[in-house]
DNA sequence: CTATTTGCAAACCCTTTGCAAAAAT
DNA sequence: ATTTTTGCAAAGGGTTTGCAAATAG
């Protein structure tokens, strides 16, 4: 949690309990929707408002701490710390993270050469069939 | 335009003039928003309704002819025919297409090996600074 | 002490829906 | 002849905004 405080300070954002609760939830549950974040954080902050969730997600998005995923259907949110790519199951819609720094780096290199420009952030999303749905 | 008719027939979609106008616009102007499609197609079909644009984009999305892009801000739409990746300018927000079948294939292979699953569709988006903004 | 953040309620989109008429195959 | 699509208007839902009070630094 120490890192989070530093990260917020670095971006000049105040470490309010509500904000920390949102970040903490994002660290445990991957890719929740706004509604899911709201429902969860409300357990520890019964008085929290939906508007506060929106405002926080937007500011965290603006500074790059959080990224927005559009898998079709509702938008989902993800803490943007380690380089990874996303697999969206075309049956159930769930998103799975794949961490592979080597592959991400290799793709980045190839893309960079192809387009002849610097790449600031790289987002790779693919559709697949997840293991659970493959069995069914 | 012949190809489009075949494509629609293949997906069991009727070739209405409104639908063709939308597809035609998507072939000329890349990555318009819903509103832009509406304003443009209205020029040739003054009586067209926003609901018709939405319904068409949704059905075209469902069958895979059109893809949805979420560059931050409003959603944008793109005809999904040739394998390409998207660069979003972090200054002006414009989206640029990069066609490179070789690079797309190479990335797909690497990702596939890394995750050990079949990839149905692959979407690569990156943020960059476009040439226009780089000069300014 | 100052700047940011919260929470409430209202406003404000954007998007979808139902339905009857029109059009496509 | 059958099925899809259109266009309208209304409903719906998600997201943002303004503002005063509370809180963080």
């Amino acid at each position: 949690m120490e890192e989070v405080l530093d990260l917020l300070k670095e971006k000049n954002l105040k470490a309010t309990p509500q904000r920390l609760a949102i970040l903490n939830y994002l660290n445990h549950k991957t890719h929740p929707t706004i509604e899911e974040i709201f429902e969860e954080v409300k357990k520890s902050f019964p008085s929290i408002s939906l508007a506060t969730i929106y405002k926080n997600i937007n500011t965290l998005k603006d500074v790059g701490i959080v990224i927005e995923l559009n898998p079709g259907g509702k938008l989902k949110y993800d803490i943007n710390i380690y380089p990874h790519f996303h697999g969206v199951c075309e049956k159930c819609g769930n998103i799975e993270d794949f961490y592979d720094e080597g592959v991400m780096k290799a793709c980045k290199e190839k893309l960079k050469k192809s387009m002849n420009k610097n790449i600031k952030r790289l987002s790779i999303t693919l559709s697949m069939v997840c293991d659970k749905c493959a069995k069914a």
Side-chain angles (χ1 to χ4, degrees), chain A:
Chain A
M1 218 57 203
E2 199 53 43
E3 331 116 24
V4 173
L5 294 180
D6 292 343
L7 195 55
L8 290 176
K9 194 168 291 179
E10 184 194 320
K11 306 289 185 182
N12 290 312
L13 297 178
K14 294 190 173 175
T16 67
Q18 292 92 334
R19 179 165 289 159
L20 292 177
I22 293 171
L23 286 168
N24 181 51
Y25 181 53
L26 248 23
N27 258 324
H28 289 291
K29 158 93 172 163
T30 52
H31 321 118
T33 62
I34 289 284
E35 203 56 32
E36 288 171 331
I37 299 170
F38 179 52
E39 290 307 330
E40 184 60 28
V41 176
K42 199 158 57 171
K43 289 179 188 164
S44 14
F45 291 86
S47 72
I48 203 173
S49 134
L50 237 194
T52 299
I53 309 291
Y54 277 109
K55 285 172 186 169
N56 270 290
I57 288 295
N58 281 337
T59 57
L60 293 170
K61 223 171 52 179
D62 289 345
V63 300
I65 295 178
V66 156
I67 56 179
E68 187 176 68
L69 302 172
N70 179 14
K74 296 193 176 172
L75 298 175
K76 303 186 176 184
Y77 299 90
D78 193 14
I79 281 214
N80 184 27
I81 297 184
Y82 298 108
H84 63 280
F85 57 97
H86 295 108
V88 182
C89 176
E90 64 175 15
K91 306 285 184 195
C92 67
N94 273 348
I95 302 174
E96 202 169 324
D97 284 340
F98 295 94
Y99 291 92
D100 192 327
E101 200 169 336
V103 166
M104 290 294 281
K105 245 186 188 158
C107 289
K108 199 169 181 175
E109 266 319 300
K110 281 186 190 304
L111 295 162
K112 186 179 165 183
K113 253 183 209 151
S114 170
M115 67 195 294
N116 195 33
K117 272 194 188 55
N118 278 330
I119 295 174
K120 307 287 177 156
R121 269 163 295 159
L122 175 60
S123 157
I124 296 181
T125 302
L126 48 89
S127 67
M128 55 169 204
V129 176
C130 73
D131 291 340
K132 207 184 279 179
C133 291
K135 280 177 195 154

